[in-house]
């Protein structure tokens, strides 16, 4: 990767990935794009930034030519909860956006990274240590778009030789950016609430296990897979990756160990619960470990120390 264009750069992953790639690859080599401006000052002021709707294939082609891009990282997407509220918008953004990226990658011979998700699995999928290759059949529109995206990327690789790559991300937890519209968002909000209010009401049941990952590991995954030797990649577009699996009561207990007064209660949101119940409890990520040396650094304890430490400093400043 030398010249990288990021779509959806003002989102939870994009904000932090842009910062990191600007540091590692040079500010002049990273083009951050987002559907609108005014969302994130450092993103727009500290390097190259362009307003672009990923559904506008012509603009994506023009920008890719203008900046001599060699890799697109496609992060523009709607997540699971907002998707259930507006399925047609999700389909438009997630699928037409990906299609445009694939077409531009094909025309200009670019590499394309696009994330899939644990949402690509469904109620018939084996729940524990979910294998890399298994029954999927998701029930959320977000999940349907993710499986379709995995297959479309496989197709462009097989048919046209486009260098497509991707991972199935679990819930991502970050301190420098907020998630928006996902089922796993509670695992970020709980830390903010613990520091700000000392209490949190969770919309998922206490024993709902889901795969999760701290953002530094997620950013490593993107960079590592994009830089991986293509001859080692068997599962190009949909690698299972995970760093930990926990349920709300376990993350609550990890916070209580450090903040004994923290109070956790529950008010179940039936839509979120139904989505979470359709996803695996824990993934088997051995293919990613074998094919590109995936090896996450953070577990629940290390992540909790880091999140609480950083948020305490952040909120003291305010
Ligand atoms: C969501 O909850 O929708 C996302 C995801 C797991 O892809 N965070």
């Amino acid at each position: 990767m030398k010249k990288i264009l990021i779509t959806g750069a003002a989102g939870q992953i994009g904000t932090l990935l842009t910062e990191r790639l600007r540091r590692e690859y040079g500010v002049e080599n990273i083009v951050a794009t987002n559907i609108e401006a005014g969302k994130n000052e450092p993103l727009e002021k500290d390097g190259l930034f362009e307003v672009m709707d990923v559904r506008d294939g012509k603009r994506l082609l023009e920008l890719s030519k203008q900046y001599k891009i060699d890799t697109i990282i496609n992060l523009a997407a709607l997540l699971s909860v907002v998707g259930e509220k507006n399925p047609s918008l999700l389909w438009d953004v997630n699928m037409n956006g990906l299609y445009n990226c694939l077409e531009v990658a094909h025309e200009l011979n670019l590499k394309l990274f696009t994330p899939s998700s644990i949402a690509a699995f469904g109620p018939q999928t084996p729940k524990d240590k979910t294998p890399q290759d298994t029954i999927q059949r998701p029930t959320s529109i977000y999940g349907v778009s993710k499986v379709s995206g995995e297959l479309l990327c496989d197709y462009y690789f097989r048919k046209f030789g486009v260098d497509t790559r991707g991972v199935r991300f679990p819930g991502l937890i970050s301190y420098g950016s907020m998630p928006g519209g996902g089922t796993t968002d509670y695992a970020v909000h709980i830390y903010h609430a613990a520091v700000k209010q000392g209490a949190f009401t969770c919309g998922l049941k206490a024993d709902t296990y889901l795969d999760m990952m701290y953002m530094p590991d997620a950013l490593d995954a993107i960079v590592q897979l994009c830089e991986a030797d293509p001859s080692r990649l068997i599962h190009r577009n949909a690698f299972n990756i995970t760093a930990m699996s926990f349920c709300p009561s376990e993350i609550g207990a990890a916070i209580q160990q450090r903040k004994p007064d923290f109070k956790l209660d529950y008010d179940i949101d039936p839509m979120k619960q139904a989505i979470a119940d359709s996803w695996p409890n824990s993934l088997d990520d051995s293919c990613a470990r074998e094919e590109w040396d995936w090896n996450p650094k953070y577990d629940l304890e290390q992540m909790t120390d880091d999140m609480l430490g950083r948020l305490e400093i952040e909120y003291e400043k305010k």
Side-chain angles (χ1 to χ4, degrees), residues 12 79-81 116-119 142 169-172 181-185 279:
Q12 185 194 11
L79 300 186
S80 54
V81 174
S116 185
S117 160
I118 50 171
Y142 176 62
F169 272 133
L172 298 181
T183 306
T184 59
D185 294 8
W279 292 353

Side-chain angles (χ1 to χ4, degrees), residues 228-249:
D229 173 357
S231 68
R232 288 180 65 197
L233 302 181
I234 300 162
H235 302 87
R236 300 197 133 249
N237 293 308
F239 281 99
N240 280 4
I241 57 169
T242 185
M244 58 193 101
S245 165
F246 59 74
C247 60
S249 66

Side-chain angles (χ1 to χ4, degrees), residues 108-249:
L108 302 182
N109 194 22
L110 314 182
K111 186 184 288 185
L112 172 65
F113 175 91
T114 201
S116 185
S117 160
I118 50 171
F121 296 113
Q124 291 147 276
T125 302
K127 281 238 165 256
D128 297 302
K129 288 272 156 214
T130 301
Q132 173 68 43
D133 300 309
T134 185
I135 189 161
Q136 297 192 241
R137 303 202 70 78
T139 45
S140 68
I141 187 67
Y142 176 62
V144 172
S145 81
K146 288 299 175 191
V147 176
S148 310
E150 292 179 2
L151 295 175
L152 200 58
C153 288
D154 281 349
Y155 180 80
Y156 269 72
F157 171 65
R158 258 200 326 271
K159 177 94 179 168
F160 306 117
V162 177
D163 188 351
T164 52
R165 304 180 184 205
V167 295
R168 292 179 180 136
F169 272 133
L172 298 181
I173 294 136
S174 54
Y175 57 85
S177 64
M178 291 302 277
T183 306
T184 59
D185 294 8
Y186 90 87
V188 180
H189 294 140
I190 193 170
Y191 286 115
H192 285 262
V195 174
K196 277 202 297 191
Q197 289 102 27
F200 182 68
T201 301
C202 186
L204 294 182
K205 288 185 197 157
D207 60 352
T208 309
Y209 279 89
L210 290 168
D211 284 284
M212 299 280 178
M213 185 179 294
Y214 199 30
M215 190 59 87
D217 281 328
L219 302 184
D220 279 351
I222 296 175
V223 174
Q224 242 180 293
L225 177 56
C226 284
E227 296 289 12
D229 173 357
S231 68
R232 288 180 65 197
L233 302 181
I234 300 162
H235 302 87
R236 300 197 133 249
N237 293 308
F239 281 99
N240 280 4
I241 57 169
T242 185
M244 58 193 101
S245 165
F246 59 74
C247 60
S249 66

